Amino acid sequence: MSEAKKFTFEVPAELRSLMDGHPEVNWTAVFRDAIRRHAKAADLAQRIVEEESDPRIQAVARLAKGRVGEKYRHARASSSKAR
Protein backbone atom coordinates (compact mmCIF):
# COMPACT_ATOMS: atom_id res chain seq x y z
CA MET A 1 0.00 0.00 0.00
CA SER A 2 1.36 3.42 -0.91
CA GLU A 3 2.05 5.97 1.77
CA ALA A 4 -0.22 9.02 1.56
CA LYS A 5 1.12 12.53 2.05
CA LYS A 6 -0.95 15.28 3.61
CA PHE A 7 -0.99 18.75 2.05
CA THR A 8 -2.61 21.96 3.19
CA PHE A 9 -4.01 24.41 0.65
CA GLU A 10 -4.88 28.03 1.15
CA VAL A 11 -7.83 29.35 -0.81
CA PRO A 12 -9.04 32.95 -1.03
CA ALA A 13 -11.99 33.85 1.20
CA GLU A 14 -14.26 34.29 -1.84
CA LEU A 15 -13.49 30.76 -3.05
CA ARG A 16 -13.92 29.35 0.46
CA SER A 17 -17.32 31.03 0.65
CA LEU A 18 -18.36 29.35 -2.61
CA MET A 19 -17.09 26.01 -1.34
CA ASP A 20 -18.94 26.42 1.96
CA GLY A 21 -22.13 26.90 -0.05
CA HIS A 22 -21.80 23.30 -1.28
CA PRO A 23 -21.27 21.04 1.73
CA GLU A 24 -22.37 18.05 -0.35
CA VAL A 25 -19.13 18.25 -2.38
CA ASN A 26 -16.11 16.30 -1.20
CA TRP A 27 -13.58 19.10 -1.77
CA THR A 28 -10.65 16.88 -0.84
CA ALA A 29 -11.57 14.53 -3.68
CA VAL A 30 -12.00 17.49 -6.06
CA PHE A 31 -8.50 18.77 -5.22
CA ARG A 32 -7.02 15.27 -5.50
CA ASP A 33 -8.65 14.65 -8.90
CA ALA A 34 -7.57 18.05 -10.25
CA ILE A 35 -3.99 17.46 -9.12
CA ARG A 36 -4.01 13.96 -10.65
CA ARG A 37 -5.27 15.30 -14.01
CA HIS A 38 -2.71 18.10 -14.05
CA ALA A 39 0.15 15.76 -13.09
CA LYS A 40 -0.82 13.29 -15.84
CA ALA A 41 -0.94 16.11 -18.41
CA ALA A 42 2.49 17.33 -17.29
CA ASP A 43 3.83 13.77 -17.52
CA LEU A 44 2.46 13.40 -21.05
CA ALA A 45 4.02 16.72 -22.07
CA GLN A 46 7.36 15.57 -20.63
CA ARG A 47 7.23 12.27 -22.55
CA ILE A 48 6.40 14.09 -25.79
CA VAL A 49 9.37 16.41 -25.32
CA GLU A 50 11.69 13.50 -24.47
CA GLU A 51 10.59 11.32 -27.38
CA GLU A 52 10.75 13.97 -30.09
CA SER A 53 12.96 11.78 -32.31
CA ASP A 54 10.22 9.12 -32.75
CA PRO A 55 8.34 9.93 -36.01
CA ARG A 56 5.02 8.90 -34.46
CA ILE A 57 5.61 11.27 -31.58
CA GLN A 58 6.70 14.02 -33.98
CA ALA A 59 3.29 13.88 -35.66
CA VAL A 60 1.45 14.14 -32.36
CA ALA A 61 3.89 16.71 -31.01
CA ARG A 62 3.22 19.06 -33.92
CA LEU A 63 -0.42 19.11 -32.84
CA ALA A 64 0.20 19.37 -29.10
CA LYS A 65 3.32 21.46 -28.70
CA GLY A 66 1.76 24.89 -29.17
CA ARG A 67 1.02 26.60 -25.91
CA VAL A 68 1.09 23.42 -23.80
CA GLY A 69 4.64 22.52 -24.82
CA GLU A 70 5.94 26.02 -24.30
CA LYS A 71 4.18 26.36 -20.96
CA TYR A 72 5.68 23.04 -19.82
CA ARG A 73 9.22 23.93 -20.94
CA HIS A 74 8.99 27.32 -19.23
CA ALA A 75 7.71 25.75 -16.00
CA ARG A 76 10.44 23.06 -16.04
CA ALA A 77 13.13 25.67 -16.69
CA SER A 78 11.84 27.85 -13.85
CA SER A 79 11.67 24.94 -11.41
CA SER A 80 15.20 23.83 -12.38
CA LYS A 81 16.58 27.31 -11.68
CA ALA A 82 14.84 27.39 -8.29
CA ARG A 83 16.67 24.25 -7.14
Side-chain angles (χ1 to χ4, degrees):
M1 186 162 114
S2 67
E3 191 174 314
K5 291 271 191 175
K6 191 174 213 174
F7 290 88
T8 301
F9 293 94
E10 291 185 19
V11 295
E14 182 180 320
L15 177 56
R16 181 59 197 218
S17 179
L18 286 170
M19 292 168 66
D20 288 345
H22 297 281
E24 74 282 3
V25 176
N26 179 344
W27 293 110
T28 299
V30 171
F31 279 104
R32 187 174 32 246
D33 291 345
I35 292 167
R36 181 179 292 115
R37 283 192 311 272
H38 192 86
K40 285 182 177 183
D43 188 55
L44 175 60
Q46 181 178 6
R47 284 187 278 135
I48 288 170
V49 169
E50 290 173 353
E51 297 176 3
E52 286 179 332
S53 62
D54 184 328
R56 297 168 300 167
I57 297 299
Q58 287 176 353
V60 173
R62 279 191 290 279
L63 298 173
K65 275 188 180 176
R67 290 186 317 181
V68 174
E70 288 306 313
K71 185 185 251 187
Y72 173 76
R73 283 189 188 95
H74 179 70
R76 291 290 288 182
S78 295
S79 67
S80 294
K81 290 177 186 176
R83 292 180 192 173

